[in-house]
Amino acid sequence: MTASPVVLIADDEPLLTELLEFRLGARGYQTVVAHDGREALAKLDEAEPQAVVLDMMMPVHDGFEVLRRMRASAKYAETPVIMLTARRGEADVVGALELGADDYLVKPFLPEELMIRLGRLLAGKKV
């Protein structure tokens, strides 16, 4: 199966999700967007993404809660997650990594850096 990887973008900033959809689409990824934590959890089951780009500060469920539920689920425990957030405090970074985030980028970020980090995570994942 050589279908392009599906990436779930979970962020409540429409301009950012549009930018990521464009950049990921240009790299051959399929994208699915969620604008809050509840929608992100629903889209996980609908789209079964190969990776997730997850904001920490979202309505309904924050990124920590989405990540916690993913890691507690046998189905999504190994799905690569990149936290992409404005929260740069040590407790935020360490907390996300302890919960099982695979990577952590602080906004504002370099879109190309995100593409490289995502590509590395997906290359290391055996599908």
Side-chain angles (χ1 to χ4, degrees), residues 2-7 9 19-32 50 112 115 118-119 122:
T2 58
S4 54
V6 176
V7 177
I9 304 164
L19 168 74
L20 292 177
E21 282 184 288
F22 177 78
R23 296 295 294 255
L24 290 165
R27 290 280 179 111
Y29 296 105
Q30 296 178 55
T31 57
V32 178
Q50 281 72 55
E112 192 59 25
M115 297 302 118
L118 183 62
L122 286 169

Side-chain angles (χ1 to χ4, degrees), residues 49-122:
Q50 281 72 55
V52 178
V53 176
L54 182 60
D55 185 19
M56 195 173 296
M57 297 180 290
M58 290 185 296
V60 190
H61 300 305
D62 66 10
F64 275 136
E65 182 62 21
V66 173
L67 182 59
R68 191 176 293 113
R69 290 185 186 195
M70 284 182 68
R71 295 309 183 227
S73 154
K75 191 171 186 180
Y76 302 112
E78 300 296 320
T79 303
V81 175
I82 297 179
M83 299 299 294
L84 180 62
T85 180
R87 310 254 326 236
R88 61 179 69 239
E90 182 179 347
D92 296 316
V93 177
V94 171
L97 295 173
E98 283 180 342
L99 273 176
D102 296 280
D103 209 339
Y104 195 102
L105 276 175
V106 176
K107 298 174 186 174
F109 67 103
L110 300 170
E112 192 59 25
E113 180 182 4
L114 175 63
M115 297 302 118
I116 291 168
R117 290 175 183 253
L118 183 62
R120 284 184 179 168
L121 282 174
L122 286 169

